[in-house]
PDB file of all heavy atoms in Angstrom:
ATOM      1  N   ARG A   1    -163.377 -48.254  84.466  1.00  0.00           N
ATOM      2  CA  ARG A   1    -162.609 -48.592  83.262  1.00  0.00           C
ATOM      3  C   ARG A   1    -161.299 -47.831  83.346  1.00  0.00           C
ATOM      4  O   ARG A   1    -161.286 -46.636  83.655  1.00  0.00           O
ATOM      5  CB  ARG A   1    -163.415 -48.188  82.032  1.00  0.00           C
ATOM      6  CG  ARG A   1    -162.647 -48.170  80.716  1.00  0.00           C
ATOM      7  CD  ARG A   1    -163.613 -47.937  79.568  1.00  0.00           C
ATOM      8  NE  ARG A   1    -162.969 -47.348  78.408  1.00  0.00           N
ATOM      9  CZ  ARG A   1    -163.531 -47.247  77.208  1.00  0.00           C
ATOM     10  NH1 ARG A   1    -164.754 -47.689  77.023  1.00  0.00           N
ATOM     11  NH2 ARG A   1    -162.904 -46.697  76.206  1.00  0.00           N
ATOM     12  N   ILE A   2    -160.194 -48.506  83.080  1.00  0.00           N
ATOM     13  CA  ILE A   2    -158.869 -47.909  83.218  1.00  0.00           C
ATOM     14  C   ILE A   2    -158.034 -48.189  81.980  1.00  0.00           C
ATOM     15  O   ILE A   2    -158.110 -49.274  81.397  1.00  0.00           O
ATOM     16  CB  ILE A   2    -158.149 -48.439  84.487  1.00  0.00           C
ATOM     17  CG1 ILE A   2    -156.802 -47.735  84.688  1.00  0.00           C
ATOM     18  CG2 ILE A   2    -157.998 -49.953  84.452  1.00  0.00           C
ATOM     19  CD1 ILE A   2    -156.159 -48.052  86.033  1.00  0.00           C
ATOM     20  N   VAL A   3    -157.262 -47.195  81.568  1.00  0.00           N
ATOM     21  CA  VAL A   3    -156.317 -47.357  80.465  1.00  0.00           C
ATOM     22  C   VAL A   3    -154.949 -46.928  80.983  1.00  0.00           C
ATOM     23  O   VAL A   3    -154.775 -45.791  81.439  1.00  0.00           O
ATOM     24  CB  VAL A   3    -156.707 -46.509  79.239  1.00  0.00           C
ATOM     25  CG1 VAL A   3    -155.761 -46.819  78.071  1.00  0.00           C
ATOM     26  CG2 VAL A   3    -158.154 -46.766  78.832  1.00  0.00           C
ATOM     27  N   LYS A   4    -153.985 -47.860  80.903  1.00  0.00           N
ATOM     28  CA  LYS A   4    -152.630 -47.594  81.374  1.00  0.00           C
ATOM     29  C   LYS A   4    -151.681 -47.477  80.177  1.00  0.00           C
ATOM     30  O   LYS A   4    -151.948 -48.038  79.107  1.00  0.00           O
ATOM     31  CB  LYS A   4    -152.136 -48.733  82.275  1.00  0.00           C
ATOM     32  CG  LYS A   4    -152.982 -48.988  83.506  1.00  0.00           C
ATOM     33  CD  LYS A   4    -152.446 -50.208  84.262  1.00  0.00           C
ATOM     34  CE  LYS A   4    -153.322 -50.568  85.449  1.00  0.00           C
ATOM     35  NZ  LYS A   4    -152.856 -51.800  86.129  1.00  0.00           N
ATOM     36  N   PRO A   5    -150.554 -46.785  80.367  1.00  0.00           N
ATOM     37  CA  PRO A   5    -149.569 -46.695  79.282  1.00  0.00           C
ATOM     38  C   PRO A   5    -149.072 -48.076  78.848  1.00  0.00           C
ATOM     39  O   PRO A   5    -149.038 -49.018  79.650  1.00  0.00           O
ATOM     40  CB  PRO A   5    -148.433 -45.882  79.908  1.00  0.00           C
ATOM     41  CG  PRO A   5    -149.087 -45.094  81.003  1.00  0.00           C
ATOM     42  CD  PRO A   5    -150.171 -45.978  81.536  1.00  0.00           C
ATOM     43  N   VAL A   6    -148.694 -48.175  77.574  1.00  0.00           N
ATOM     44  CA  VAL A   6    -148.181 -49.439  77.045  1.00  0.00           C
ATOM     45  C   VAL A   6    -146.944 -49.886  77.824  1.00  0.00           C
ATOM     46  O   VAL A   6    -146.759 -51.078  78.094  1.00  0.00           O
ATOM     47  CB  VAL A   6    -147.861 -49.291  75.541  1.00  0.00           C
ATOM     48  CG1 VAL A   6    -147.144 -50.530  75.023  1.00  0.00           C
ATOM     49  CG2 VAL A   6    -149.142 -49.047  74.746  1.00  0.00           C
ATOM     50  N   ASP A   7    -146.098 -48.934  78.203  1.00  0.00           N
ATOM     51  CA  ASP A   7    -144.878 -49.265  78.942  1.00  0.00           C
ATOM     52  C   ASP A   7    -145.070 -49.101  80.451  1.00  0.00           C
ATOM     53  O   ASP A   7    -144.138 -48.762  81.178  1.00  0.00           O
ATOM     54  CB  ASP A   7    -143.714 -48.385  78.468  1.00  0.00           C
ATOM     55  CG  ASP A   7    -144.002 -46.893  78.645  1.00  0.00           C
ATOM     56  OD1 ASP A   7    -145.143 -46.551  79.032  1.00  0.00           O
ATOM     57  OD2 ASP A   7    -143.092 -46.076  78.400  1.00  0.00           O
ATOM     58  N   PHE A   8    -146.261 -49.362  80.928  1.00  0.00           N
ATOM     59  CA  PHE A   8    -146.585 -49.195  82.344  1.00  0.00           C
ATOM     60  C   PHE A   8    -145.601 -49.949  83.232  1.00  0.00           C
ATOM     61  O   PHE A   8    -145.307 -51.124  83.008  1.00  0.00           O
ATOM     62  CB  PHE A   8    -148.005 -49.686  82.603  1.00  0.00           C
ATOM     63  CG  PHE A   8    -148.387 -49.730  84.055  1.00  0.00           C
ATOM     64  CD1 PHE A   8    -148.682 -48.566  84.744  1.00  0.00           C
ATOM     65  CD2 PHE A   8    -148.443 -50.947  84.733  1.00  0.00           C
ATOM     66  CE1 PHE A   8    -149.033 -48.603  86.088  1.00  0.00           C
ATOM     67  CE2 PHE A   8    -148.795 -50.986  86.070  1.00  0.00           C
ATOM     68  CZ  PHE A   8    -149.091 -49.819  86.751  1.00  0.00           C
ATOM     69  N   ASP A   9    -145.100 -49.276  84.255  1.00  0.00           N
ATOM     70  CA  ASP A   9    -144.158 -49.851  85.213  1.00  0.00           C
ATOM     71  C   ASP A   9    -144.810 -49.805  86.592  1.00  0.00           C
ATOM     72  O   ASP A   9    -145.027 -48.724  87.145  1.00  0.00           O
ATOM     73  CB  ASP A   9    -142.851 -49.054  85.211  1.00  0.00           C
ATOM     74  CG  ASP A   9    -141.794 -49.651  86.126  1.00  0.00           C
ATOM     75  OD1 ASP A   9    -142.135 -50.509  86.966  1.00  0.00           O
ATOM     76  OD2 ASP A   9    -140.618 -49.245  86.005  1.00  0.00           O
ATOM     77  N   PRO A  10    -145.143 -50.948  87.184  1.00  0.00           N
ATOM     78  CA  PRO A  10    -145.825 -50.957  88.486  1.00  0.00           C
ATOM     79  C   PRO A  10    -144.994 -50.363  89.616  1.00  0.00           C
ATOM     80  O   PRO A  10    -145.520 -50.095  90.699  1.00  0.00           O
ATOM     81  CB  PRO A  10    -146.103 -52.445  88.722  1.00  0.00           C
ATOM     82  CG  PRO A  10    -145.102 -53.169  87.894  1.00  0.00           C
ATOM     83  CD  PRO A  10    -144.890 -52.316  86.683  1.00  0.00           C
ATOM     84  N   ASN A  11    -143.703 -50.153  89.372  1.00  0.00           N
ATOM     85  CA  ASN A  11    -142.846 -49.546  90.391  1.00  0.00           C
ATOM     86  C   ASN A  11    -142.849 -48.022  90.321  1.00  0.00           C
ATOM     87  O   ASN A  11    -142.142 -47.375  91.096  1.00  0.00           O
ATOM     88  CB  ASN A  11    -141.408 -50.063  90.240  1.00  0.00           C
ATOM     89  CG  ASN A  11    -141.304 -51.540  90.572  1.00  0.00           C
ATOM     90  OD1 ASN A  11    -141.853 -51.990  91.572  1.00  0.00           O
ATOM     91  ND2 ASN A  11    -140.629 -52.300  89.719  1.00  0.00           N
ATOM     92  N   LYS A  12    -143.640 -47.476  89.416  1.00  0.00           N
ATOM     93  CA  LYS A  12    -143.712 -46.026  89.274  1.00  0.00           C
ATOM     94  C   LYS A  12    -145.104 -45.516  89.644  1.00  0.00           C
ATOM     95  O   LYS A  12    -146.077 -46.271  89.663  1.00  0.00           O
ATOM     96  CB  LYS A  12    -143.372 -45.613  87.840  1.00  0.00           C
ATOM     97  CG  LYS A  12    -141.924 -45.878  87.441  1.00  0.00           C
ATOM     98  CD  LYS A  12    -141.646 -45.388  86.023  1.00  0.00           C
ATOM     99  CE  LYS A  12    -140.182 -45.588  85.659  1.00  0.00           C
ATOM    100  NZ  LYS A  12    -139.883 -45.102  84.277  1.00  0.00           N
ATOM    101  N   LYS A  13    -145.167 -44.227  89.940  1.00  0.00           N
ATOM    102  CA  LYS A  13    -146.444 -43.561  90.207  1.00  0.00           C
ATOM    103  C   LYS A  13    -146.794 -42.674  89.014  1.00  0.00           C
ATOM    104  O   LYS A  13    -145.945 -41.946  88.504  1.00  0.00           O
ATOM    105  CB  LYS A  13    -146.352 -42.723  91.490  1.00  0.00           C
ATOM    106  CG  LYS A  13    -146.115 -43.537  92.743  1.00  0.00           C
ATOM    107  CD  LYS A  13    -145.902 -42.658  93.947  1.00  0.00           C
ATOM    108  CE  LYS A  13    -147.197 -42.124  94.513  1.00  0.00           C
ATOM    109  NZ  LYS A  13    -147.986 -43.155  95.214  1.00  0.00           N
ATOM    110  N   TYR A  14    -148.074 -42.744  88.590  1.00  0.00           N
ATOM    111  CA  TYR A  14    -148.509 -42.044  87.387  1.00  0.00           C
ATOM    112  C   TYR A  14    -149.602 -41.023  87.724  1.00  0.00           C
ATOM    113  O   TYR A  14    -150.394 -41.211  88.649  1.00  0.00           O
ATOM    114  CB  TYR A  14    -149.072 -43.034  86.368  1.00  0.00           C
ATOM    115  CG  TYR A  14    -148.030 -43.945  85.765  1.00  0.00           C
ATOM    116  CD1 TYR A  14    -147.655 -45.118  86.415  1.00  0.00           C
ATOM    117  CD2 TYR A  14    -147.419 -43.634  84.552  1.00  0.00           C
ATOM    118  CE1 TYR A  14    -146.706 -45.971  85.863  1.00  0.00           C
ATOM    119  CE2 TYR A  14    -146.469 -44.482  83.990  1.00  0.00           C
ATOM    120  CZ  TYR A  14    -146.113 -45.639  84.661  1.00  0.00           C
ATOM    121  OH  TYR A  14    -145.169 -46.473  84.109  1.00  0.00           O
ATOM    122  N   PRO A  15    -149.661 -39.964  86.937  1.00  0.00           N
ATOM    123  CA  PRO A  15    -150.787 -39.033  87.070  1.00  0.00           C
ATOM    124  C   PRO A  15    -152.052 -39.689  86.542  1.00  0.00           C
ATOM    125  O   PRO A  15    -152.003 -40.536  85.644  1.00  0.00           O
ATOM    126  CB  PRO A  15    -150.372 -37.846  86.201  1.00  0.00           C
ATOM    127  CG  PRO A  15    -149.478 -38.448  85.159  1.00  0.00           C
ATOM    128  CD  PRO A  15    -148.744 -39.570  85.845  1.00  0.00           C
ATOM    129  N   VAL A  16    -153.200 -39.296  87.089  1.00  0.00           N
ATOM    130  CA  VAL A  16    -154.463 -39.892  86.675  1.00  0.00           C
ATOM    131  C   VAL A  16    -155.411 -38.798  86.200  1.00  0.00           C
ATOM    132  O   VAL A  16    -155.489 -37.714  86.781  1.00  0.00           O
ATOM    133  CB  VAL A  16    -155.101 -40.710  87.822  1.00  0.00           C
ATOM    134  CG1 VAL A  16    -155.378 -39.836  89.039  1.00  0.00           C
ATOM    135  CG2 VAL A  16    -156.380 -41.405  87.358  1.00  0.00           C
ATOM    136  N   LEU A  17    -156.117 -39.093  85.114  1.00  0.00           N
ATOM    137  CA  LEU A  17    -157.159 -38.210  84.590  1.00  0.00           C
ATOM    138  C   LEU A  17    -158.481 -38.956  84.681  1.00  0.00           C
ATOM    139  O   LEU A  17    -158.680 -39.978  84.020  1.00  0.00           O
ATOM    140  CB  LEU A  17    -156.878 -37.823  83.135  1.00  0.00           C
ATOM    141  CG  LEU A  17    -157.969 -37.002  82.442  1.00  0.00           C
ATOM    142  CD1 LEU A  17    -158.151 -35.640  83.112  1.00  0.00           C
ATOM    143  CD2 LEU A  17    -157.661 -36.825  80.951  1.00  0.00           C
ATOM    144  N   PHE A  18    -159.383 -38.466  85.534  1.00  0.00           N
ATOM    145  CA  PHE A  18    -160.717 -39.045  85.661  1.00  0.00           C
ATOM    146  C   PHE A  18    -161.658 -38.379  84.664  1.00  0.00           C
ATOM    147  O   PHE A  18    -161.722 -37.149  84.590  1.00  0.00           O
ATOM    148  CB  PHE A  18    -161.272 -38.831  87.068  1.00  0.00           C
ATOM    149  CG  PHE A  18    -160.609 -39.643  88.139  1.00  0.00           C
ATOM    150  CD1 PHE A  18    -159.676 -39.067  88.984  1.00  0.00           C
ATOM    151  CD2 PHE A  18    -160.910 -40.991  88.315  1.00  0.00           C
ATOM    152  CE1 PHE A  18    -159.063 -39.805  89.980  1.00  0.00           C
ATOM    153  CE2 PHE A  18    -160.308 -41.738  89.307  1.00  0.00           C
ATOM    154  CZ  PHE A  18    -159.371 -41.148  90.143  1.00  0.00           C
ATOM    155  N   TYR A  19    -162.382 -39.198  83.903  1.00  0.00           N
ATOM    156  CA  TYR A  19    -163.466 -38.683  83.073  1.00  0.00           C
ATOM    157  C   TYR A  19    -164.772 -38.952  83.812  1.00  0.00           C
ATOM    158  O   TYR A  19    -165.012 -40.065  84.295  1.00  0.00           O
ATOM    159  CB  TYR A  19    -163.503 -39.362  81.705  1.00  0.00           C
ATOM    160  CG  TYR A  19    -164.735 -39.007  80.904  1.00  0.00           C
ATOM    161  CD1 TYR A  19    -164.893 -37.733  80.376  1.00  0.00           C
ATOM    162  CD2 TYR A  19    -165.754 -39.937  80.702  1.00  0.00           C
ATOM    163  CE1 TYR A  19    -166.032 -37.392  79.659  1.00  0.00           C
ATOM    164  CE2 TYR A  19    -166.887 -39.609  79.985  1.00  0.00           C
ATOM    165  CZ  TYR A  19    -167.026 -38.334  79.466  1.00  0.00           C
ATOM    166  OH  TYR A  19    -168.160 -37.998  78.769  1.00  0.00           O
ATOM    167  N   VAL A  20    -165.635 -37.942  83.931  1.00  0.00           N
ATOM    168  CA  VAL A  20    -166.866 -38.087  84.709  1.00  0.00           C
ATOM    169  C   VAL A  20    -168.084 -37.625  83.917  1.00  0.00           C
ATOM    170  O   VAL A  20    -167.994 -36.769  83.044  1.00  0.00           O
ATOM    171  CB  VAL A  20    -166.783 -37.275  86.028  1.00  0.00           C
ATOM    172  CG1 VAL A  20    -165.758 -37.885  86.976  1.00  0.00           C
ATOM    173  CG2 VAL A  20    -166.459 -35.802  85.773  1.00  0.00           C
ATOM    174  N   TYR A  21    -169.194 -38.226  84.203  1.00  0.00           N
ATOM    175  CA  TYR A  21    -170.511 -37.714  83.809  1.00  0.00           C
ATOM    176  C   TYR A  21    -171.410 -37.787  85.041  1.00  0.00           C
ATOM    177  O   TYR A  21    -171.655 -36.804  85.688  1.00  0.00           O
ATOM    178  CB  TYR A  21    -171.102 -38.468  82.627  1.00  0.00           C
ATOM    179  CG  TYR A  21    -172.425 -37.862  82.210  1.00  0.00           C
ATOM    180  CD1 TYR A  21    -172.464 -36.646  81.537  1.00  0.00           C
ATOM    181  CD2 TYR A  21    -173.636 -38.461  82.551  1.00  0.00           C
ATOM    182  CE1 TYR A  21    -173.668 -36.044  81.201  1.00  0.00           C
ATOM    183  CE2 TYR A  21    -174.846 -37.868  82.216  1.00  0.00           C
ATOM    184  CZ  TYR A  21    -174.854 -36.661  81.548  1.00  0.00           C
ATOM    185  OH  TYR A  21    -176.050 -36.059  81.227  1.00  0.00           O
ATOM    186  N   GLY A  22    -171.941 -38.982  85.339  1.00  0.00           N
ATOM    187  CA  GLY A  22    -172.523 -39.203  86.644  1.00  0.00           C
ATOM    188  C   GLY A  22    -173.966 -38.830  86.843  1.00  0.00           C
ATOM    189  O   GLY A  22    -174.475 -38.872  87.962  1.00  0.00           O
ATOM    190  N   GLU A  23    -174.704 -38.466  85.780  1.00  0.00           N
ATOM    191  CA  GLU A  23    -176.124 -38.148  85.900  1.00  0.00           C
ATOM    192  C   GLU A  23    -176.959 -39.247  85.234  1.00  0.00           C
ATOM    193  O   GLU A  23    -176.420 -40.122  84.559  1.00  0.00           O
ATOM    194  CB  GLU A  23    -176.404 -36.767  85.311  1.00  0.00           C
ATOM    195  CG  GLU A  23    -175.711 -35.650  86.083  1.00  0.00           C
ATOM    196  CD  GLU A  23    -176.277 -34.263  85.793  1.00  0.00           C
ATOM    197  OE1 GLU A  23    -177.296 -34.155  85.099  1.00  0.00           O
ATOM    198  OE2 GLU A  23    -175.677 -33.278  86.273  1.00  0.00           O
ATOM    199  N   PRO A  24    -178.294 -39.205  85.393  1.00  0.00           N
ATOM    200  CA  PRO A  24    -179.128 -40.297  84.891  1.00  0.00           C
ATOM    201  C   PRO A  24    -179.185 -40.435  83.375  1.00  0.00           C
ATOM    202  O   PRO A  24    -179.895 -41.312  82.879  1.00  0.00           O
ATOM    203  CB  PRO A  24    -180.527 -39.939  85.450  1.00  0.00           C
ATOM    204  CG  PRO A  24    -180.271 -39.114  86.643  1.00  0.00           C
ATOM    205  CD  PRO A  24    -179.062 -38.296  86.276  1.00  0.00           C
ATOM    206  N   TRP A  25    -178.471 -39.597  82.651  1.00  0.00           N
ATOM    207  CA  TRP A  25    -178.562 -39.626  81.190  1.00  0.00           C
ATOM    208  C   TRP A  25    -177.387 -40.340  80.533  1.00  0.00           C
ATOM    209  O   TRP A  25    -177.294 -40.382  79.321  1.00  0.00           O
ATOM    210  CB  TRP A  25    -178.680 -38.201  80.656  1.00  0.00           C
ATOM    211  CG  TRP A  25    -179.302 -38.110  79.293  1.00  0.00           C
ATOM    212  CD1 TRP A  25    -178.686 -37.731  78.128  1.00  0.00           C
ATOM    213  CD2 TRP A  25    -180.647 -38.405  78.927  1.00  0.00           C
ATOM    214  NE1 TRP A  25    -179.566 -37.762  77.077  1.00  0.00           N
ATOM    215  CE2 TRP A  25    -180.795 -38.180  77.543  1.00  0.00           C
ATOM    216  CE3 TRP A  25    -181.760 -38.840  79.649  1.00  0.00           C
ATOM    217  CZ2 TRP A  25    -181.991 -38.376  76.867  1.00  0.00           C
ATOM    218  CZ3 TRP A  25    -182.955 -39.031  78.974  1.00  0.00           C
ATOM    219  CH2 TRP A  25    -183.055 -38.799  77.601  1.00  0.00           C
ATOM    220  N   GLY A  26    -176.461 -40.922  81.327  1.00  0.00           N
ATOM    221  CA  GLY A  26    -175.349 -41.566  80.653  1.00  0.00           C
ATOM    222  C   GLY A  26    -174.494 -42.421  81.565  1.00  0.00           C
ATOM    223  O   GLY A  26    -174.312 -42.128  82.744  1.00  0.00           O
ATOM    224  N   GLN A  27    -173.969 -43.506  80.976  1.00  0.00           N
ATOM    225  CA  GLN A  27    -173.051 -44.433  81.637  1.00  0.00           C
ATOM    226  C   GLN A  27    -171.704 -44.319  80.931  1.00  0.00           C
ATOM    227  O   GLN A  27    -171.645 -44.215  79.708  1.00  0.00           O
ATOM    228  CB  GLN A  27    -173.613 -45.854  81.529  1.00  0.00           C
ATOM    229  CG  GLN A  27    -172.791 -46.940  82.173  1.00  0.00           C
ATOM    230  CD  GLN A  27    -173.403 -48.320  81.959  1.00  0.00           C
ATOM    231  OE1 GLN A  27    -174.499 -48.453  81.431  1.00  0.00           O
ATOM    232  NE2 GLN A  27    -172.690 -49.353  82.353  1.00  0.00           N
ATOM    233  N   THR A  28    -170.609 -44.318  81.654  1.00  0.00           N
ATOM    234  CA  THR A  28    -169.288 -44.091  81.036  1.00  0.00           C
ATOM    235  C   THR A  28    -168.360 -45.291  81.104  1.00  0.00           C
ATOM    236  O   THR A  28    -167.538 -45.478  80.215  1.00  0.00           O
ATOM    237  CB  THR A  28    -168.586 -42.895  81.698  1.00  0.00           C
ATOM    238  OG1 THR A  28    -168.367 -43.162  83.084  1.00  0.00           O
ATOM    239  CG2 THR A  28    -169.414 -41.618  81.549  1.00  0.00           C
ATOM    240  N   ALA A  29    -168.449 -46.091  82.156  1.00  0.00           N
ATOM    241  CA  ALA A  29    -167.551 -47.244  82.290  1.00  0.00           C
ATOM    242  C   ALA A  29    -168.145 -48.412  81.515  1.00  0.00           C
ATOM    243  O   ALA A  29    -168.696 -49.360  82.080  1.00  0.00           O
ATOM    244  CB  ALA A  29    -167.347 -47.609  83.748  1.00  0.00           C
ATOM    245  N   VAL A  30    -168.050 -48.321  80.195  1.00  0.00           N
ATOM    246  CA  VAL A  30    -168.671 -49.315  79.328  1.00  0.00           C
ATOM    247  C   VAL A  30    -167.634 -49.919  78.390  1.00  0.00           C
ATOM    248  O   VAL A  30    -166.628 -49.297  78.053  1.00  0.00           O
ATOM    249  CB  VAL A  30    -169.825 -48.699  78.506  1.00  0.00           C
ATOM    250  CG1 VAL A  30    -170.985 -48.345  79.409  1.00  0.00           C
ATOM    251  CG2 VAL A  30    -169.365 -47.479  77.758  1.00  0.00           C
ATOM    252  N   ASP A  31    -167.925 -51.134  77.990  1.00  0.00           N
ATOM    253  CA  ASP A  31    -167.004 -51.888  77.143  1.00  0.00           C
ATOM    254  C   ASP A  31    -167.277 -51.571  75.677  1.00  0.00           C
ATOM    255  O   ASP A  31    -167.663 -52.438  74.897  1.00  0.00           O
ATOM    256  CB  ASP A  31    -167.172 -53.380  77.424  1.00  0.00           C
ATOM    257  CG  ASP A  31    -166.025 -54.215  76.859  1.00  0.00           C
ATOM    258  OD1 ASP A  31    -165.099 -53.635  76.265  1.00  0.00           O
ATOM    259  OD2 ASP A  31    -166.071 -55.445  77.019  1.00  0.00           O
ATOM    260  N   ASP A  32    -167.085 -50.294  75.317  1.00  0.00           N
ATOM    261  CA  ASP A  32    -167.317 -49.897  73.936  1.00  0.00           C
ATOM    262  C   ASP A  32    -166.230 -48.927  73.488  1.00  0.00           C
ATOM    263  O   ASP A  32    -165.482 -48.375  74.294  1.00  0.00           O
ATOM    264  CB  ASP A  32    -168.706 -49.275  73.760  1.00  0.00           C
ATOM    265  CG  ASP A  32    -168.804 -47.866  74.333  1.00  0.00           C
ATOM    266  OD1 ASP A  32    -167.983 -47.513  75.207  1.00  0.00           O
ATOM    267  OD2 ASP A  32    -169.714 -47.124  73.922  1.00  0.00           O
ATOM    268  N   TRP A  33    -166.171 -48.728  72.193  1.00  0.00           N
ATOM    269  CA  TRP A  33    -165.220 -47.796  71.586  1.00  0.00           C
ATOM    270  C   TRP A  33    -165.910 -46.443  71.543  1.00  0.00           C
ATOM    271  O   TRP A  33    -166.665 -46.134  70.639  1.00  0.00           O
ATOM    272  CB  TRP A  33    -164.847 -48.263  70.186  1.00  0.00           C
ATOM    273  CG  TRP A  33    -163.755 -47.456  69.552  1.00  0.00           C
ATOM    274  CD1 TRP A  33    -163.905 -46.468  68.626  1.00  0.00           C
ATOM    275  CD2 TRP A  33    -162.353 -47.572  69.782  1.00  0.00           C
ATOM    276  NE1 TRP A  33    -162.688 -45.962  68.284  1.00  0.00           N
ATOM    277  CE2 TRP A  33    -161.705 -46.620  68.975  1.00  0.00           C
ATOM    278  CE3 TRP A  33    -161.572 -48.381  70.606  1.00  0.00           C
ATOM    279  CZ2 TRP A  33    -160.327 -46.460  68.958  1.00  0.00           C
ATOM    280  CZ3 TRP A  33    -160.199 -48.226  70.588  1.00  0.00           C
ATOM    281  CH2 TRP A  33    -159.588 -47.270  69.770  1.00  0.00           C
TER     282      TRP A  33
END
């Protein structure tokens, strides 16, 4: 799941912040609020 800036410019390079969990107790890339 990815969220980009509203004014995203494909000709630019952006910093990335990964959110992780990764154990059997939770899923993170989900279509929810």
Side-chain angles (χ1 to χ4, degrees):
R1 166 172 155 168
I2 184 171
V3 185
K4 301 176 184 176
V6 172
D7 59 354
F8 172 75
D9 183 346
N11 293 315
K12 293 182 177 181
K13 296 175 79 73
Y14 291 85
V16 60
L17 175 64
F18 289 102
Y19 171 71
V20 292
Y21 183 74
E23 296 197 7
W25 203 248
Q27 181 182 354
T28 62
V30 291
D31 195 1
D32 74 338
W33 187 259

